[in-house]
């Protein structure tokens, strides 16, 4: 069954003029970074309302930084897994136009993907909330929390917290990619965070085929998705690339 769907997806990708991937935290789970809503997700341990909103950060940056430090050390150690690599291969083969990612972990770029639209920012930079300076995370020693800028302002990772706007350029580009693709691969996202979860709808309204890759069904599965490849993103995406390559040789 899954094999048939992989074949069907491979064929659909080869036939599409433009393919875009939307990725979420699930694609990085096999790299050792827990997702938010999975069984061993971060939110089992940290209540999002207490840790992931901009109001919570401003009210108590020290507390939120304790969680960020824990996640940051996982991100720092993480390497791209076969799912990130498979998407980079698809791009190299000329079969993937771009990746819109909700992740902030840089793993798509580390895998070799060139066109990555970071919808929620990137944790490798810190933004000073007082003077607006962007500081490289590597320049900062996380000893006393929160880390501070040379102007003494509080530094915040340059990522989108709940309650913050999506970076304008990334939002525009993502909508453009969604509205102009013929097939969208939606990988490892529970699709509950807006406005990222609207992108498959934009794509579908413009006539695209929506293919999910996820361990489980999501709110997209019933109404938006054409078909779902159920299982591990690294196994399924690797199998997909293999299928595309072998069909290309045949
Ligand atoms: P989520 O945690 O809400 O959902 C993850 C989804 O991935 C789930 O549907 C789960 O079933 C699926 N999944 C888990 N492991 C998988 C695997 N091995 N293969 C295939 N599917 C798998 O994640 P989200 O929808 O991206 O929303 C979370 C938000 O938190 C995002 O906005 C993201 O910015 C942020 N976040 C980022 C990271 C990261 O950068 N790696 C990690 C945690 C959270």
């Amino acid at each position: 069954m899954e094999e048939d769907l992989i074949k069907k997806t491979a064929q659909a990708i080869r036939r599409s003029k433009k393919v875009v991937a939307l990725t979420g935290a699930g694609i990085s789970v096999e790299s050792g970074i827990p997702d938010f809503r999975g069984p061993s997700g971060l939110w089992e341990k940290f209540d999002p309302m207490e840790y992931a909103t901009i109001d919570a950060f401003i009210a108590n940056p020290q507390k939120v930084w304790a969680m960020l430090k824990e996640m940051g050390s996982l991100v720092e150690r993480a390497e791209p897994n076969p799912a990130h690599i498979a998407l980079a291969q698809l791009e190299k083969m000329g079969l993937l136009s771009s990746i819109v990612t909700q992740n902030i972990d840089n793993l798509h770029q580390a895998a070799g993907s060139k066109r990555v639209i970071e919808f929620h920012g990137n944790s490798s930079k810190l933004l000073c909330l007082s003077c607006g300076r962007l500081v490289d995370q590597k320049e900062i020693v996380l000893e006393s929390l929160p880390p501070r800028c040379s102007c003494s302002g509080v530094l915040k990772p340059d990522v989108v917290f709940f309650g913050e706007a999506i970076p304008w350029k990334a939002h525009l580009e993502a909508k453009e990619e969604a509205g102009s693709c013929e097939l969208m691969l939606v990988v490892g996202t529970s699709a509950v965070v807006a406005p990222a979860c609207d992108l498959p709808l934009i794509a579908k309204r413009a006539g695209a085929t929506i293919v999910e890759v996820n361990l489980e069904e999501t709110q997209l599965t019933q109404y938006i998705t054409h078909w779902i490849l159920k299982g591990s993103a690294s196994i399924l995406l690797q199998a997909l690339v293999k299928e595309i390559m072998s069909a290309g040789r045949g």
Side-chain angles (χ1 to χ4, degrees):
M1 171 68 179
E2 223 62 57
E3 261 174 42
D4 292 346
L5 286 181
I6 285 170
K7 276 204 172 93
K8 185 173 167 179
T9 310
Q11 274 173 3
I13 287 178
R14 290 180 72 87
R15 282 194 200 123
S16 298
K17 285 201 191 79
K18 180 166 178 171
V19 179
V20 168
L22 170 67
T23 65
I27 196 169
S28 295
V29 166
E30 292 169 84
S31 292
I33 306 173
D35 59 0
F36 269 175
R37 293 175 188 81
S40 58
L42 283 178
W43 289 6
E44 288 290 300
K45 198 162 157 196
F46 299 105
D47 176 351
M49 288 305 122
E50 272 183 57
Y51 289 91
T53 69
I54 187 63
D55 289 347
F57 184 87
I58 288 166
N60 194 342
Q62 188 178 11
K63 174 177 163 179
V64 174
W65 261 107
M67 179 274 276
L68 293 170
K69 194 175 167 183
E70 197 171 311
M71 185 170 172
S73 66
L74 294 175
V75 171
E76 224 169 84
R77 285 198 300 269
E79 301 278 350
N81 67 53
H84 299 104
I85 293 166
L87 291 183
Q89 283 175 309
L90 284 181
E91 184 188 52
K92 219 170 170 186
M93 291 155 80
L95 295 173
L96 184 71
S97 164
S98 64
I99 298 172
V100 179
T101 188
Q102 298 166 81
N103 297 343
I104 46 106
D105 57 25
N106 228 30
L107 291 179
H108 287 301
Q109 292 91 331
S113 288
K114 301 285 180 239
R115 177 123 168 79
V116 182
I117 300 167
E118 293 180 312
F119 207 74
H120 291 158
N122 186 308
S123 62
S124 64
K125 295 265 185 268
L126 307 178
L127 175 73
C128 173
L129 294 184
S130 297
C131 72
R133 199 175 137 225
L134 270 182
V135 182
D136 206 320
Q137 163 93 61
K138 289 194 189 103
E139 286 173 29
I140 301 295
V141 186
L142 290 178
E143 271 167 2
S144 65
L145 298 177
R148 290 187 181 270
C149 176
S150 50
C151 81
S152 87
V154 169
L155 291 169
K156 172 190 142 326
D158 193 24
V159 303
V160 177
F161 279 61
F162 289 117
E164 288 192 295
I166 305 302
W168 182 79
K169 188 165 174 277
H171 198 178
L172 206 70
E173 286 178 358
K175 284 197 287 193
E176 179 60 36
E177 287 299 280
S180 59
C181 68
E182 287 189 3
L183 187 144
M184 180 178 269
L185 282 172
V186 182
V187 186
T189 175
S190 60
V192 295
V193 177
C197 64
D198 299 335
L199 296 170
L201 179 62
I202 292 174
K204 188 166 186 192
R205 282 198 178 139
T209 301
I210 311 297
V211 181
E212 271 189 285
V213 180
N214 202 309
L215 292 177
E216 58 189 26
E217 294 192 357
T218 70
Q219 62 170 5
L220 298 177
T221 313
Q222 197 178 351
Y223 301 107
I224 309 283
T225 300
H226 287 87
W227 64 87
I228 178 168
L229 300 177
K230 240 187 194 178
S232 133
S234 66
I235 292 175
L236 291 167
L237 291 182
Q238 248 184 327
L240 184 61
V241 169
K242 207 170 152 202
E243 176 62 34
I244 289 173
M245 286 169 111
S246 67
R249 280 194 296 268

